Amino acid sequence: EVQLVESGGGVVQAGGSLRLSCAASGFTFSTFWMHWVRQAPGKGLVWVSRINSDVTTTDYADSVKGRFTISRDNAKNTLYLQMNSLRADDTAVYYCARAGVPAANDLWGQGTLVTVSP
Amino acid sequence: QSALTQPPSASGSPGQSVTISCTGTSSDVGGYNFVSWYQQHPGKAPKLIIYEVNKRPSGVPDRFSGSKSGNTASLTVSGLQAEDEADYYCYSYAGRNNVFGTGTRVAIL
């Protein structure tokens, strides 16, 4: 089955760190750009970061630049998001998504909730 | 990296059509033909319904269509059905980043 499964969410204190994982299966993970997108409770979708297939390009939203790091292990079919210096406004459901068509995300995980307590 | 502007809400009766606008700038919507649209039901992950302005992924009904003029993209849902009641987001490539719209809640009257 073609799917993405996120894990690693939880409750963390402000200033703390968390690493999210996204396990891919059913497709050739190593050939796709991958993205992280987040959604605060009751709010809209916000693009967070992206990484290309061979890890030569990473981009970030200004709100997370310098605090979050996207990475991937193509041998393990896994995408990561290392989140440091977490703030209350980072509280959100974090989705990983595949860019299976040009500049669009055609496959999404179910999301993992990150809660940052003050 | 300002969010693209969408109307907060839209509505229509079953069988009618609704059009949602998505306004950006020449650095995102107007600069590339890489606008996509997503449907999100409560508690669910987003679903891609339009990419590259007007292309539909396999399995998406042709009731959904997209277009673009200048810095504004649009999504039209024709023949509204009960299951179309959801949140809709536009999304654009913008060079070294991507940006979502503010979202539009579509209600079926």
Side-chain angles (χ1 to χ4, degrees):
Chain A
E1 181 184 0
V2 176
Q3 64 178 356
L4 298 170
V5 179
E6 301 96 337
S7 61
V11 180
V12 61
Q13 285 192 327
S17 299
L18 212 54
R19 188 176 85 155
L20 305 183
S21 299
C22 169
S25 58
F27 64 97
T28 307
F29 175 75
S30 62
T31 63
F32 292 94
W33 283 71
M34 296 294 296
H35 295 244
W36 287 100
V37 174
R38 70 184 181 184
Q39 186 170 36
K43 303 296 184 181
L45 300 172
V46 176
W47 177 79
V48 172
S49 182
R50 68 187 180 200
I51 186 168
N52 70 341
S53 57
D54 62 3
V55 201
T56 54
T57 298
T58 58
D59 295 300
Y60 300 91
D62 288 345
S63 58
V64 306
K65 202 172 294 183
R67 301 187 300 123
F68 289 12
T69 302
I70 190 172
S71 63
R72 64 192 297 165
D73 185 334
N74 286 337
K76 294 183 177 179
N77 293 331
T78 303
L79 175 72
Y80 302 101
L81 186 67
Q82 177 66 44
M83 304 185 295
N84 298 331
S85 302
L86 283 161
R87 313 184 303 219
D89 63 358
D90 293 319
T91 293
V93 173
Y94 284 75
Y95 295 99
C96 64
R98 180 185 78 176
V101 292
N105 298 326
D106 67 330
L107 179 67
W108 294 69
Q110 84 288 353
T112 187
L113 176 62
V114 172
T115 302
V116 183
S117 60
Chain B
Q1 294 183 351
S2 297
L4 309 175
T5 301
Q6 297 180 232
S9 63
S11 62
S13 300
Q16 289 187 332
S17 296
V18 65
T19 297
I20 302 167
S21 62
C22 168
T23 301
T25 69
S26 58
S27 297
D28 39 62
V29 174
Y32 311 92
N33 285 324
F34 288 136
V35 176
S36 52
W37 290 88
Y38 301 82
Q39 178 192 62
Q40 187 181 34
H41 289 107
K44 301 295 187 181
K47 174 187 174 184
L48 177 67
I49 55 174
I50 295 287
Y51 68 99
E52 287 187 276
V53 177
N54 56 16
K55 297 179 180 178
R56 278 177 290 104
S58 174
V60 174
D62 60 5
R63 303 185 295 103
F64 294 91
S65 62
S67 62
K68 192 187 86 166
S69 178
N71 295 338
T72 298
S74 298
L75 171 73
T76 297
V77 186
S78 305
L80 279 168
Q81 300 181 2
E83 59 263 35
D84 298 333
E85 186 162 283
D87 294 327
Y88 291 82
Y89 295 91
C90 59
Y91 181 61
S92 177
Y93 176 80
R96 292 307 301 270
N97 59 76
N98 295 52
V99 60
F100 278 98
T102 49
T104 299
R105 178 152 296 178
V106 170
I108 309 301
L109 301 174

